[in-house]
Amino acid sequence: MKKIEICPSCGLEVVTESGRPSRCPRCESPVGDGGPESDALLSLEFDGGAQGASSSYPVPEGVSTIGRRSARSTATVQIAVTDGFMSKVHCRVTAQRRGDGSVEAALSDAGSANGTYLNGRSLLPAEEAPLHDGDIVRMGNTELRIVFR
């Protein structure tokens, strides 16, 4: 199965195939199985929509920022989406492993213009809402599903 993944080093979108390790054509960093996904605590599964193709983005421990890709933007985001209704820095996903091995994750809106919705409920700017396996997040015309590993 082919997936679109983000290079953890340079942010380039790389098409990978499940079960086959890949390297980023720009910086040669490992991407895909055996790469950043192996350290992921959860993943964001995009349905296609504004992305143009279904894709999965691994979320490692720490803070991952989601935003709109723009040639003129100097914003740094870990997950860049081509949705004109998203802000350059739209929202953040924070994930951490607890002492018992379980994963705790939260979503927060970064002051976006069109809002961030968790399971249909609008988040206030800077509000942090807990995430659970199967949750649906909507930002602009983009919808994704939270998948815990």
Side-chain angles (χ1 to χ4, degrees):
M1 181 170 130
K2 292 190 178 191
K3 298 192 295 188
I4 299 172
E5 300 191 52
I6 298 294
C7 172
S9 299
C10 71
L12 181 71
E13 282 189 356
V14 178
V15 177
T16 63
E17 196 164 328
S18 184
R20 298 176 130 185
S22 297
R23 292 214 169 261
C24 174
R26 181 187 295 159
C27 70
E28 294 297 316
S29 292
V31 179
D33 294 344
E37 194 160 330
S38 61
D39 293 332
L41 301 183
L42 60 110
S43 63
L44 308 177
E45 306 287 334
F46 287 87
D47 65 358
Q51 286 291 94
S54 294
S55 53
S56 174
Y57 292 92
V59 177
E61 190 158 9
V63 178
S64 296
T65 307
I66 303 169
R68 182 183 77 231
R69 174 183 301 118
S70 167
R72 297 181 302 254
S73 175
T74 58
T76 301
V77 296
Q78 286 73 40
I79 301 169
V81 180
T82 55
D83 180 344
F85 291 95
M86 285 180 60
S87 297
K88 291 174 187 163
V89 177
H90 198 96
C91 64
R92 292 178 180 84
V93 175
T94 305
Q96 65 182 17
R97 188 167 305 280
R98 295 181 183 142
D100 65 0
S102 64
V103 174
E104 179 177 53
L107 174 72
S108 61
D109 183 85
S112 65
N114 292 319
T116 302
Y117 297 82
L118 177 59
N119 298 320
R121 184 179 73 80
S122 178
L123 298 180
L124 298 172
E127 173 188 359
E128 193 168 276
L131 289 173
H132 303 95
D133 191 45
D135 280 348
I136 302 295
V137 177
R138 187 171 53 82
M139 308 156 288
N141 289 326
T142 301
E143 191 170 275
L144 61 91
R145 183 170 47 94
I146 305 297
V147 178
F148 278 70
R149 301 209 175 259

